[in-house]
Amino acid sequence: MVQKLDDTARAGLATALPEWRLAEGRDAIIRSFRFRDFSAAWGFMARVALLAEAQDHHPEWSNVWNRVEILLSTHDADGLSERDLRLAKAIDALV
């Protein structure tokens, strides 16, 4: 069973993932990305999809032209877990 983040891990979120913020109304983190055009945004999403598949942890996301928004939460934990932090850090390494 995947465990939710404890209070210590939650307290370090802003330092560990400065570009991510807590999602309103959900136990999740969210980040918005902007690219030069649709093709660049789509290419980024393809790279994230490969990361997500390798980690067996899939984001909720949306794409409108040059913008991508990614929300991470672990359904098995009913909220934030280490899996979300690991995927967020891997996504950050792509940009």
Side-chain angles (χ1 to χ4, degrees):
M1 183 76 179
V2 180
Q3 299 294 316
K4 279 188 177 184
L5 288 181
D6 62 24
D7 291 339
T8 302
R10 287 173 185 277
L13 281 175
T15 302
L17 298 166
E19 301 295 324
W20 296 78
R21 66 187 189 284
L22 292 173
E24 270 188 52
R26 302 231 0 229
D27 191 17
I29 54 175
I30 193 166
R31 182 173 175 189
S32 298
F33 300 85
R34 283 193 177 261
F35 300 91
R36 73 178 177 282
D37 56 26
F38 177 75
S39 182
W42 191 264
F44 169 74
M45 290 177 69
R47 291 189 305 278
V48 171
L50 294 173
L51 285 174
E53 191 65 20
Q55 293 187 21
D56 192 29
H57 189 52
H58 305 93
E60 294 179 33
W61 57 8
S62 65
N63 164 241
V64 178
W65 190 60
N66 69 336
R67 297 182 315 264
V68 176
E69 186 169 85
I70 299 177
L71 183 137
L72 299 174
S73 184
T74 303
H75 299 287
D76 292 343
D78 196 30
L80 281 171
S81 77
E82 279 295 324
R83 297 180 81 187
D84 302 306
L85 303 186
R86 190 169 43 251
L87 183 55
K89 287 175 184 176
I91 292 169
D92 285 350
L94 292 176
V95 291

